[in-house]
């Protein structure tokens, strides 16, 4: 795909984040929303659609923007390659993008190592952080405390249609002293990463990292990583 830009790899992306860069990430859910369609956790919303499109196409943003890497080593390369022409509509070929897969060892299995997860854990270990999420799936406040955070202030958001609460979430985060913000809020996290970074917070969109946390033996055998079935609304197990 000639128009698809070069994308920095997962290790380089995570190193930048550990050094203080904020990041928002794009996957198939964000792509659906940019195309005006619903995704599993978010109904189509014209304001969200515009914000996601603008962030991806700007010449420069405060936060890094993570997109699929199109790395042929990935077991899911075929899926992402099929979507690449749709992504190209929203990308600048000359812009620098980073990997969306720092929290997705299913798409980047070479990150499924103790060393990589240690680096991710270092984003909260020994620190006071803000956690934005529903506290039910992926990361949870209790998990962050158990793995080394000194203090976690939870700013709740709904699992579905979190974008309806984005202004409230942004306001509550900015009222808190902690500078590092861990985001697990679906497509809303992508937008929050840039909004908060522009105001001086270190905002990190970690998406589904909790679902994959240190599951070294299991992930290579997974055939389906969907947390929730869009049709039934029920959680599915792997595999």
């Amino acid at each position: 795909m000639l128009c698809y830009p070069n994308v920095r790899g997962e290790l380089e992306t995570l190193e930048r984040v550990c050094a203080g860069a904020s990041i928002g990430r794009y996957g198939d859910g964000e792509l659906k929303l940019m195309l005006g369609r619903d995704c599993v956790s978010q109904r189509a919303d014209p304001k969200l659609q515009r914000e996601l499109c603008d962030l991806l196409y700007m010449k420069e943003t405060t936060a890094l923007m993570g997109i699929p890497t199109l790395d042929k080593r990935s077991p899911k390369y075929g899926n992402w390659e099929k979507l690449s022409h749709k992504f190209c509509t929203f990308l600048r070929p000359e812009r620098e993008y980073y990997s969306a897969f720092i929290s997705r060892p299913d798409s980047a299995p070479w990150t499924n190592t103790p060393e990589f997860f240690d680096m991710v854990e270092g984003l909260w270990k020994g620190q006071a952080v803000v956690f934005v999420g529903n506290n039910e799936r992926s990361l949870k406040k209790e998990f962050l405390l158990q793995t080394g955070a000194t203090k976690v202030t939870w700013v709740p958001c709904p699992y579905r249609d979190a974008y309806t609460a984005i202004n409230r979430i942004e306001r509550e985060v900015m009222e808190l002293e902690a500078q590092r913000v861990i985001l697990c809020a679906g497509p809303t996290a992508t937008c929050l990463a840039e909004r908060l970074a522009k105001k001086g917070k270190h905002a990190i969109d970690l998406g589904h990292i909790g679902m994959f946390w240190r599951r070294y033996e299991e992930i290579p055998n997974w055939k389906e990583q969907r947390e929730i079935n869009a049709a039934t609304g029920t959680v599915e197990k792997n595999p």
Side-chain angles (χ1 to χ4, degrees), residues 134-150:
N134 61 49
N135 212 45
E136 295 179 6
R137 294 186 175 90
S138 194
L139 295 185
K140 300 180 181 180
K141 174 183 177 180
E142 295 75 17
F143 174 82
L144 296 173
L145 290 168
Q146 291 166 3
T147 51
T150 58

Side-chain angles (χ1 to χ4, degrees), residues 76-89:
K76 300 180 78 173
Y77 170 78
N79 294 335
W80 294 116
E81 196 276 334
K82 289 177 183 177
L83 294 176
S84 62
H85 70 284
K86 295 181 180 179
F87 265 109
C88 283
T89 305

Side-chain angles (χ1 to χ4, degrees), residues 120-227:
V120 175
E121 190 174 291
L123 293 171
W124 60 79
K125 192 171 185 177
Q127 300 181 61
V129 299
V130 178
F131 169 58
V132 176
N134 61 49
N135 212 45
E136 295 179 6
R137 294 186 175 90
S138 194
L139 295 185
K140 300 180 181 180
K141 174 183 177 180
E142 295 75 17
F143 174 82
L144 296 173
L145 290 168
Q146 291 166 3
T147 51
T150 58
K151 179 181 179 181
V152 180
T153 303
W154 176 36
V155 176
C157 74
Y159 174 73
R160 287 188 175 86
D161 300 324
Y163 193 73
T164 60
I166 191 169
N167 292 330
R168 185 267 299 169
I169 296 169
E170 180 183 0
R171 182 175 64 253
E172 290 185 15
V173 170
M174 292 308 303
E175 290 172 352
L176 299 170
E177 291 184 5
Q179 291 302 299
R180 185 160 290 177
V181 186
I182 306 298
L183 301 167
C184 293
T188 298
T190 306
C191 300
L192 278 170
E194 174 65 8
R195 290 191 186 195
L196 295 172
K198 288 173 67 175
K199 295 182 178 180
K201 297 289 188 180
H202 184 195
I204 308 163
D205 174 8
L206 285 180
H208 291 295
I209 188 67
M211 182 173 68
F212 298 101
W213 192 256
R214 298 187 187 275
R215 299 175 74 172
Y216 306 127
E217 301 299 326
E218 300 171 62
I219 293 171
N221 299 318
W222 284 7
K223 298 176 183 178
E224 176 77 30
Q225 286 82 45
R226 185 184 294 278
E227 260 191 294

Side-chain angles (χ1 to χ4, degrees), residues 42-60:
Q42 177 70 53
R43 286 175 294 185
D45 182 305
K47 291 183 179 179
L48 173 57
Q49 179 184 27
R50 183 166 56 253
E51 190 165 358
L52 287 171
C53 290
D54 287 348
L55 290 176
L56 207 54
Y57 194 70
M58 285 179 181
K59 290 183 178 180
E60 185 176 4

